[in-house]
Amino acid sequence: MEYQTAPDMNSSRLSMAWADNMPRIIETSHTRSQQYGLRRESAPDYSPLARNDLSLLIEQNRLLHAHAVPAMETLYQQIVNTHNMVILTDAQGVIVHSLGDDDFLEKASRVALQPGVAWSEQSRGTNAIGTAIAEGTPALVHADQHYLSANHFLTCSAAPIADHLGNVIGVLDVSGDQRSYHKHTMALVRMSALMIENQLFSAAFEDAITIRFHARPEFIGTLMEGIASFSPGGRFLAANRNGLFQLGLSTAALQSHTFSSLFGLPVSALFDHYRTASPGLLNLCMHNGVSVFGRAQLRLSNSVFQQSLTSDRATPATAPAPMSASQAASTARRLSGLRYLRTGDQQLELVIEKVTRVLGKDIPIMIMGETGTGKELLAQAIHNDSPRAMSPFVAVNCASIPETLIESELFGYEDGAFTGARKKGAIGKILQANGGTLFLDEIGDMPFSLQARLLRVLQERMVTPLGSDKSIPVNVELICATNHNLRDRIAKGLFREDLYYRLNGLVVKLPPLRERTDLETVVKKILATESNNGRYHVSAEILQLFRQHRWPGNFRQLTNLLRTAIVMAGDEHEICLRHMPDDFLDDIELAATQLAAPDPAQMVASGANLEEMEQSVILKSLEAHGGNVSATARALGVSRNTIYRKVPNLK
């Protein structure tokens, strides 16, 4: 049971309300905490794992870490500047990665809310991370519901992350100052944890048939979809949470089933469907009689056959000959080339024209731009249109990999190169990209100590794995991206000048979303992609608000906003103001208030006193909010009574 309160309720009232209605999950956890011998006033052990042990822990949770970090970054963009942090732990509650506001990270470090520290119930008593692990369910622990008094300043929302077998392998958590508690935080955490689970599920089966299904076609491709995987012969392998729910059977019961027995369609008919020129969504009837729509991904013999199913055109009377693996892969690549990025913006057109001229010329490309402007999307499109399109495209985010692991991640290592290394060693990202394209995202955040080694690889075109004395020839096309000004980082001694000039072949800059002239087209494309059939559109009012917004998170922020709005709109075709999340509306209100506020310097120059300045700000804000006193009070961060007191003549 989750208890939600208005964000502006003061701390004492909130604590009293929760004390009177203590959820069962908290009571049970407090009992366990007592049984562990913990005392409420005791000071817990704040010492984290040693650096080498933490590196080993991250290596042991490599797959979880790799799929969780992008979701964590997206989640953090939604709660930035709210005195919160996003945390990832392993199955035992040991923190392996965190993101957060600098001011709160410093405060959190005082109670050891940092990588390398265990937050199980045995170590910390009742807390969202430990309690979510103990109960196997999402947990919300607010203020003095924490068992240890030291943690009473926190509000924490955590959701367990399960693998494809249903085993908990980690926890995603948002922890913050209990005064900044927001009722929507738990929903965001649960959605993000489900996103991570779905990505882990998709990565778990390389040689398999994976079907994504739902009774409503617009929910395919969203977090609502069910996912199930089958062997190439059709034997059931696993299903995600929503898949199990829709199928209505447990994992154990499903082991005796096949694709045909569950969806009423032979595997051979599935293959035939995807050999047609324009395969649409599948119409399937599940074993329980429920009709669903489906989209299949066929990963067979290491070849990916995936069609973009955004329309349901009729199949031609005469089906063409089946495509080969190379033809299917080539088709998929063409559908994500540079021409598909053209949306009418002149700045982007110039970027595409420049990169087109250097394709296949062995000229390194540097993509500049703010976070979320689509740098990796452009890099992938460049690769797909290049002569190396049939070879690997390997992306490395230099900012998301821990400094202790980035060297082994890039260059690989031999067996026994360091404690905790995998048996038989591991091939590095550079060698994985051999013959293809290596994309180094956030290159400006690469540790200074590794920059010389990367420069040597680029100059000599040879890679020496850690622990090895043998150099291996490598041939890669290099694309880099950064949101930093690298010349500034060179001046500060954070980036090597010689590496900068080695990478500085063609430099292009992606414009931020607020400077793009193609916003309406971009919105339509995102809606078509996220809803599969393009049935949604935004109202004129929303589009105007979009044009006025600053979009600090750029396309990543816009995509997440529209994805949420689609779910909120449901059967409605038009996305309106009521479908927008609260944080977006708050940003719009704040921007309107700032625009409406008078210039303090001009008021001082005119001889206005402090009281007159306050009254002027309130009146301008009231005008911006259509005379709504409550909205004005929220925007200015004061009470309604304050508004009436400062403006006595207000009716």
Side-chain angles (χ1 to χ4, degrees):
M1 184 175 185
E2 295 175 18
Y3 287 78
Q4 297 180 347
T5 57
D8 57 350
M9 178 179 282
N10 64 50
S11 177
S12 61
R13 287 175 59 200
L14 189 58
S15 297
M16 288 171 60
W18 281 54
D20 293 339
N21 301 281
M22 185 72 77
R24 179 205 61 80
I25 191 174
I26 302 298
E27 288 182 344
T28 305
S29 177
H30 279 200
T31 301
R32 285 195 298 266
S33 301
Q34 292 172 346
Q35 293 171 348
Y36 294 140
L38 296 173
R39 292 183 296 109
R40 292 180 183 274
E41 303 303 325
S42 61
D45 179 12
Y46 291 160
S47 56
L49 292 174
R51 185 172 180 176
N52 288 343
D53 292 332
L54 178 59
S55 298
L56 176 58
L57 181 70
I58 296 172
E59 171 66 21
Q60 292 168 340
N61 292 272
R62 176 189 290 264
L63 192 62
L64 171 65
H65 186 273
H67 288 283
V69 167
M72 291 175 70
E73 291 173 346
T74 300
L75 177 57
Y76 177 58
Q77 288 294 328
Q78 296 173 299
I79 62 170
V80 66
N81 297 326
T82 60
H83 304 288
N84 281 280
M85 63 189 296
V86 184
I87 295 167
L88 176 71
T89 81
D90 70 356
Q92 285 70 49
V94 181
I95 299 175
V96 296
H97 189 62
S98 65
L99 296 168
D101 301 337
D102 291 339
D103 56 347
F104 184 74
L105 286 177
E106 181 181 354
K107 190 174 182 180
S109 66
R110 300 172 193 167
V111 291
L113 203 57
Q114 62 191 49
V117 178
W119 275 75
S120 61
E121 283 189 341
Q122 294 91 329
S123 302
R124 296 291 188 276
T126 304
N127 73 88
I129 294 170
T131 303
I133 293 173
E135 296 283 343
T137 188
L140 172 61
V141 181
H142 174 74
D144 54 11
Q145 289 188 331
H146 288 88
Y147 189 77
L148 297 185
S149 299
N151 298 328
H152 285 185
F153 75 97
L154 294 169
T155 286
C156 307
S157 304
I161 300 168
D163 63 12
H164 64 280
L165 299 175
N167 302 315
V168 174
I169 59 173
V171 173
L172 183 68
D173 169 83
V174 168
S175 291
D177 190 310
Q178 55 103 346
R179 293 169 297 182
S180 63
Y181 164 70
H182 198 287
K183 61 183 179 181
H184 295 312
T185 303
M186 175 58 88
L188 290 173
V189 171
R190 295 176 72 166
M191 288 174 63
S192 299
L194 185 57
M195 186 185 305
I196 296 168
E197 286 186 354
N198 286 352
Q199 290 172 352
L200 287 166
F201 187 96
S202 298
F205 302 101
E206 288 298 324
D207 191 18
I209 300 166
T210 297
I211 181 83
R212 300 170 184 271
F213 59 97
H214 198 280
R216 292 170 58 176
E218 66 268 22
F219 284 155
I220 296 178
T222 73
L223 293 178
M224 305 288 196
E225 69 182 358
I227 309 176
S229 286
F230 301 83
S231 71
R235 179 175 54 83
F236 175 82
L237 297 174
N240 72 341
R241 290 179 190 263
N242 284 337
L244 293 173
F245 175 77
Q246 292 185 56
L247 291 167
L249 295 172
S250 67
T251 300
L254 286 166
Q255 296 303 318
S256 60
H257 278 275
T258 64
F259 177 83
S260 179
S261 67
L262 288 173
F263 292 105
L265 186 73
V267 171
S268 58
L270 181 69
F271 291 162
D272 290 341
H273 177 79
Y274 283 101
R275 289 190 179 107
T276 61
S278 302
L281 291 177
L282 294 157
N283 291 292
L284 304 168
C285 184
M286 296 197 298
H287 68 100
N288 52 14
V290 176
S291 295
V292 294
F293 296 90
R295 179 176 66 189
Q297 185 178 41
L298 313 179
R299 292 182 176 180
L300 307 175
S301 302
N302 298 321
S303 294
V304 180
F305 299 85
Q306 186 177 17
Q307 299 293 328
S308 177
L309 308 177
T310 55
S311 63
D312 292 312
R313 292 192 295 261
T315 302
T318 304
M323 286 191 295
S324 67
S326 61
Q327 288 172 324
S330 177
T331 299
R333 288 188 176 94
R334 286 198 302 273
L335 291 175
S336 58
L338 289 166
R339 69 188 183 94
Y340 286 91
L341 299 182
R342 297 181 186 274
T343 49
D345 180 78
Q346 289 304 310
Q347 294 182 79
L348 186 60
E349 286 290 330
L350 185 59
V351 169
I352 293 174
E353 181 183 343
K354 287 180 178 179
V355 297
T356 301
R357 293 189 178 188
V358 301
L359 289 177
K361 302 293 196 302
D362 196 24
I363 294 175
I365 298 173
M366 174 74 74
I367 306 172
M368 313 287 287
E370 297 177 8
T371 299
T373 49
K375 296 188 287 291
E376 182 168 355
L377 188 65
L378 175 60
Q380 179 76 66
I382 293 171
H383 168 78
N384 291 345
D385 281 0
S386 76
R388 297 174 181 254
M390 300 303 294
S391 299
F393 173 85
V394 178
V396 181
N397 189 316
C398 300
S400 66
I401 303 173
E403 185 174 343
T404 53
L405 288 181
I406 190 169
E407 186 172 18
S408 59
E409 191 79 13
L410 277 175
F411 303 104
Y413 56 84
E414 292 288 295
D415 183 15
F418 55 88
T419 304
R422 292 174 177 171
K423 294 283 188 183
K424 300 181 181 177
I427 185 172
K429 297 291 187 183
I430 297 177
L431 285 176
Q432 288 178 29
N434 192 20
T437 302
L438 177 66
F439 174 55
L440 297 179
D441 198 6
E442 305 299 352
I443 185 69
D445 292 298
M446 174 174 280
F448 192 83
S449 58
L450 292 185
Q451 293 175 23
R453 189 163 181 203
L454 175 63
L455 177 63
R456 192 177 309 116
V457 169
L458 298 178
Q459 289 175 338
E460 300 175 0
R461 297 184 180 265
M462 303 285 284
V463 173
T464 306
L466 294 178
S468 174
D469 55 1
K470 295 180 180 178
S471 295
I472 305 171
V474 65
N475 177 14
V476 297
E477 195 80 56
L478 188 65
I479 304 176
C480 296
T482 182
N483 59 4
H484 291 295
N485 184 321
L486 292 185
R487 291 185 181 276
D488 287 347
R489 292 185 74 78
I490 291 171
K492 294 175 182 177
L494 299 174
F495 202 84
R496 293 180 62 101
E497 188 172 15
D498 49 3
L499 178 59
Y500 171 76
Y501 287 114
R502 180 62 181 81
L503 302 175
N504 193 26
L506 172 67
V507 179
V508 294
K509 184 175 181 180
L510 285 176
L513 183 55
R514 61 184 173 274
E515 296 178 7
R516 297 272 294 253
T517 59
D518 56 349
L519 180 61
E520 185 173 359
T521 304
V522 169
V523 168
K524 288 179 180 177
K525 278 201 167 192
I526 293 174
L527 288 174
T529 301
E530 293 299 325
S531 64
N532 289 292
N533 54 13
R535 62 184 288 245
Y536 293 97
H537 65 275
V538 299
S539 67
E541 179 187 19
I542 291 296
L543 192 60
Q544 184 59 33
L545 290 178
F546 282 0
R547 290 194 176 105
Q548 296 170 359
H549 195 50
R550 297 295 295 167
W551 298 112
N554 289 294
F555 293 96
R556 187 179 294 123
Q557 181 186 4
L558 177 61
T559 301
N560 287 330
L561 183 74
L562 291 174
R563 184 181 294 141
T564 303
I566 288 171
V567 176
M568 297 300 293
D571 293 329
E572 300 177 55
H573 289 222
E574 185 174 73
I575 294 174
C576 305
L577 200 62
R578 63 181 176 275
H579 303 133
M580 292 291 103
D582 290 347
D583 58 341
F584 175 76
L585 298 179
D586 289 344
D587 288 345
I588 293 296
E589 282 191 4
L590 180 60
T593 303
Q594 292 171 342
L595 257 165
D599 184 357
Q602 291 180 359
M603 294 195 71
V604 170
S606 66
N609 59 34
L610 181 60
E611 184 177 351
E612 290 171 334
M613 292 175 68
E614 287 178 337
Q615 193 173 87
S616 177
V617 169
I618 292 171
L619 290 172
K620 285 285 188 181
S621 185
L622 278 167
E623 182 183 346
H625 292 92
N628 187 315
V629 176
S630 297
T632 300
R634 283 198 304 272
L636 296 178
V638 299
S639 68
R640 286 166 52 91
N641 289 338
T642 300
I643 299 292
Y644 286 116
R645 190 176 71 253
K646 297 288 186 182
V647 189
N649 297 327
L650 191 63
K651 299 295 184 182

